[in-house]
Amino acid sequence: MKEAVRPVATTCAYCGVGCGIQAHPASHGQPARVKGLDDHPANFGRLCSKGSALAETLGSEERLLHPEVDGRQTDWQTALDETAARLMAVRDAHGPESIAFYLSGQLLTEDYYVANKLMKGFIGSPHVDTNSRLCMSSSVAGHKRAFGTDTVPNCYEDIELADLVVITGSNMAWCHPVLFQRLKAARAARPEMKIVVIDPRRTDTCDIADLHLAVQPGSDGWLFTGLLAWLGRQGALDYAWLEAHTEGFGPAIQHAQRLCPDLHSIAQATGLKEADISRFYSWFTTRPNTVTLYSQGIHQTSSGSDKVNAILNCHLATGRIGKPGCGPLSLTGQPNAMGGREVGGLANQLAAHLDFTPEALNAVGTFWQAPNLVTGPGKTATEIFEGMLDGSIRAVWIMGTNPAVSLPDGDRIRDALQRCPLVIVSDCIATADTLNYAHIALPAAGWSEKDGTVTNSERRISRQRAFRPAMGEARPDWWIMTQVAQRMGFGRAFEYQTPADIFREHAALSGYRNTPGDLPRDFDISALSEISDDQYDTLMPIQWPVTDAAPCGTARLFAEGGFFTPTGKARLLGIEPEGPAHVTDARFPFALNTGRLRDQWHTMTRTALAPRLNQHHPEPALFMHPADLPDLSLQTGDLAEVTSRWGRAVLRVMPDEGVQPGHAFAPMHWTARFAPFSRINTVVNPAVDPYSKQPEFKHTPVAIQPVRVGTWLTLISTREPTGATAAGLYTARTRLKNGWQTEVALADLPGDDLKTLIKENFPESGADTTEWLEYHDAAHRVHRVAALLEGRLVAVAYLQAMPPTGDRTALHALLSVDTLDAMQRMSLLAGKPLAGQPCEGRTVCACFGVGESRILALKQEGADSVEAISTRTQAGTNCGSCLPEIKRLLKTGR
C-alpha cells in the first residue's frame, strides 16, 4: 500500500489577507491540490477564487527554468559570475549609486532582508525600492507621521467586533474577499452593525452597505476632515485621551473647522448629499466601536498620505485606536508588502523600522559590519526609472515584479528599460513583459517551491512552505543574491545556508538597541532570534511585536498610548485636502479610474495560468455609465480608444450603472502578452504623492472615442497561436481549459485567407491528413474555417463584420472532444451551440465553474433565489464573492 503524502501548511501567494492554505502535494498520479487551512487565524478555512485555483498555476509551460545571459541559456556558474562582474563594472565606472534594486511584495521576508542588506550595507546604494510603493507607501507615510512608526494598530478580529465599519477606497468584496466574508458573517450575527462604503463606484462591496457615499474622485480628504470638524462641534472628542496621548490636536481640529464650517461646504467638495453626510457623521459619533478599512482608493492618489492622516485624525481624536472593535486598518495589496516594510525594502527606510538618523546608521552599520553603509534615502519606484532615462541609473536588478506593465506612463517605463545598460531580472515566469528587456534572466523559485515567512495586513507573520522541488534550475531569491554577494567580495556577511539563518538575523536586528532611551521602535520580534531550525519549520502564525514580554505576540497597539514619536505622543495633523493632480477638461473630459478584477491579480503572470480565472472577464474592458455611451456612438461590446496626455489603449466597452456619468473604470491586469493594445497603465498619469511618492492610479483625465472595426477575427484553438495575431486594432488572448481563444479586430479584411492563417499559426494543420470544414457567406461577410486532425479540432477561425457576441463556452468544450460528431461539426461552423447542446455561459462563480447561462436556466426551472442557486450548483458557497452578481442576474437577467 502506497504511503499517503502529508499535506503542508503554507500561506497564499496573493493579497495581504494572508490566508492559510493546506497544500496536498502531487502524488500517486494525482495533481497537487489546495484547500483553506481551518485553523489559520486569517481565514479559518476560507479561500477566494484565486487562492482556490493556486494548484492550477503550478505547470512548467511558462516557467523560466534556466539562467540566460544576453538571450542565451547558460549555467548558474556563468550567470552568477556575469551578474557580479557586470554589477561591479557599473559600480567601478559610475559609482555605487548608479545601481538600483526594484523588489516585490511577492518576495519572502528572508529574500527582502538579503536584498536590503546587500544594497544598503555592502554595494553602497540607497536605491532599493519595491512595488509596494505602488500600493501601500501612502499608508506607511501616514502611519509614520501620526505614530512615529509604520504601525498597523489593529487586527482582523476588530472588524467582527465593531458596531460601525467604514470601508473607503476598497472594493473589498473583490480585492479582499475572504476578509469581506468575515465582515458579512459578523453582520449576519449582529444585524445592528452599520456598514458605510465610500467609493466613487457602486461595487459589489456595496451589497452589504447601509450607506454608500459615492464621493467625487479624490475628495475623501474633505469628507474625513469634515468628520473631524463635526466631531469637535458635537463634543464627541475624547479630550482626556487626547491630552494624555496626542499632540497637535487643538490646531488640527481648529484647522478642520475653518476648512469645513458646515455640511454644505463638505457636500460641495465631495458631491454628496448633506443628509447622507450627516447620517455617516452621526453614526460615527454615536458608535464608539468603529473600524475604518481603507485601501488603494485612498493610497493611489496624489494626496494619499494626507487622506490617510485625515482618517487617523478621526480615530485619534476619539481615542478609537488599538482597542477591541475600534481602529484604522489598512488593507494590504500583496502577501508580503508588510514584510518588505519590516526589513527596510522601501527607499526611504534603512532597516528594521529604522530611519536614516545618525544613531540608527551607527546601529545598523555595527550590526551588519557594513563597509559601505548608505547615509540617506534613495530613489523611489518611479524615480528609479526616471534615473534610467537620465543616465543616473546604469544597472537595475528587478525581482519578482513586472514594471513594464504595472507602472504608470507605461511606454516611458518601457523606454527606460530599453535604455538601461544593464537589466537583471529574477522571476519564475518566462513570459512576463519585463523579461523582454533583460540582459540577464535568473530563474527564481516560485510559490510551492519557496520557503520563508510573510506578514499580512494585521502584522501576522506566517510561514510560506515549499511542498515540491523547484522546477528546472530555479533557485530561491535569497540564494541567488548571496551567491552574487560572495562573488562581489562580501562572502563573510552572506554565508546563509537556510532561510532560518536569515530569519534569525532579521529577528535579532529588530531587537538590537530597541530599548527606551536608545532606538525604541514598534517592530520587534527579538524573541524569535534564537529559534532552532525545527522551531522555524513549525512556526505558527504570530503577530508582532514578539518579545520576551509578549512571547505569544501582540494583537493591538496604542490603546494606552505609547507611540514612537520623540514625545511618545501621536500627532494630529492639519490636512489641506486636495483633488487629483490633473483635472478633466474639454479635451480630456472623462475621469479614468483603474483597479482590480475579482479573479485576476496584478499583471496576470500567475492568475492567467488558471483557465477558470480567465472566464469572468475574459477581455480587457472599459466600464462606463450607460448614459455616456450614446453621445460617443458606442454600444456594448464595441471597441473604444482611451487616450490621455501620456498614452492610449483600446478596450471593450461594458455598460455599468455603478460607474458615475463622466467617469470610466478599467482593469489594470492586461499585458502585451495577452492584449498588446490594451495596457491601461500606458494611459495612467505619472503624478505621485509628495510624501509617499505613490502614483495616482485612481484619476487620469482621458478622451474616449469609438474604434471603427472593419472585420472581427476569432480563433479558438488547442494551443496558443504562434503567428502574428497581434496585428490590427485590437488583440485579446484568453487561456481556456483545453486551449485558447484569440480575438482580433482589423481595419479591413486580413491579408491571408483563413486556411493560410490557420496553417501559419498552427503548422500541424498543414498535414495532408487535415480535414477542413468551411462556411462562407459573402453577402454578410461571414467566413468560418475549421481544421481537424483525426477528428479532433486543431483550430477554428471566424471572420465577420459584426463584433462577436453570444455564448462560446459550448465551442470551447469541443477542444476536449477526441472525435467530433456531425452535430458538433455543425456547431463549429454555426459559430454557436445548437439546440440541446449544454452551455455554461460566462463564468459567474469561478470557484465551482458556474456560468451565467446555467444560472438563468435554473431560474426558469424555479430556482429563483440566491439560496436555491447555491443549493443546486454550490455557487457562492466558497469565497462568496459571486453572490452579489448572482443576485443581480436573478433580478435583471443580465
Side-chain angles (χ1 to χ4, degrees), residues 201-449:
R201 292 191 299 146
R202 183 171 185 85
T203 67
D204 281 2
T205 301
C206 298
D207 188 56
I208 63 169
D210 297 286
L211 178 63
H212 172 217
L213 299 176
V215 293
Q216 287 299 303
S219 65
D220 315 72
W222 284 102
L223 185 64
F224 283 96
T225 299
L227 174 58
L228 182 64
W230 168 282
L231 292 168
R233 293 193 184 96
Q234 298 297 313
L237 306 179
D238 188 339
Y239 284 103
W241 200 90
L242 281 167
E243 189 67 41
H245 302 302
T246 72
E247 58 190 10
F249 62 89
I253 293 164
Q254 292 167 11
H255 178 72
Q257 291 178 339
R258 282 196 303 271
L259 286 175
C260 303
D262 50 36
L263 290 179
H264 178 72
S265 63
I266 303 165
Q268 288 290 104
T270 61
L272 299 173
K273 297 177 181 178
E274 290 183 34
D276 288 341
I277 298 170
S278 176
R279 191 179 179 195
F280 166 45
Y281 287 0
S282 296
W283 285 350
F284 197 103
T285 302
T286 58
R287 287 171 168 79
N289 280 4
T290 297
V291 168
T292 303
L293 305 172
Y294 60 96
S295 195
Q296 309 310 346
I298 295 294
H299 301 144
Q300 290 180 334
T301 67
S302 55
S303 56
S305 300
D306 281 351
K307 291 183 176 72
V308 170
N309 282 108
I311 293 169
L312 300 183
N313 280 347
C314 296
H315 281 272
L316 290 169
T318 52
R320 300 177 187 178
I321 188 167
K323 301 171 185 175
C326 62
L329 182 61
S330 62
L331 300 179
T332 313
Q334 295 191 82
N336 203 31
M338 181 80 75
R341 289 145 65 182
E342 292 163 8
V343 307
L346 291 168
N348 52 309
Q349 300 173 325
L350 179 56
H353 280 209
L354 289 167
D355 293 325
F356 294 91
T357 64
E359 296 81 7
L361 289 167
N362 175 267
V364 174
T366 300
F367 184 89
W368 280 346
Q369 292 295 291
N372 301 306
L373 189 69
V374 300
T375 58
K379 296 181 186 291
T380 59
T382 55
E383 293 169 342
I384 286 173
F385 288 85
E386 286 299 316
M388 295 183 209
L389 289 168
D390 66 27
S392 60
I393 297 296
R394 310 284 298 180
V396 64
W397 191 344
I398 299 166
M399 303 181 202
T401 187
N402 198 11
V405 180
S406 60
L407 283 166
D409 196 4
D411 285 342
R412 186 171 174 84
I413 298 300
R414 289 176 176 242
D415 187 23
L417 288 164
Q418 188 69 49
R419 292 194 201 182
C420 189
L422 177 59
V423 177
I424 304 163
V425 179
S426 301
D427 210 316
C428 55
I429 301 296
T431 53
D433 286 16
T434 303
L435 265 295
N436 295 328
Y437 303 91
H439 302 98
I440 299 176
L442 304 173
W447 183 85
S448 75
E449 304 162 352

Side-chain angles (χ1 to χ4, degrees), residues 833-851:
L834 301 181
Q837 282 187 301
C839 304
E840 192 63 53
R842 184 183 63 86
T843 294
V844 174
C845 174
C847 295
F848 295 104
V850 181

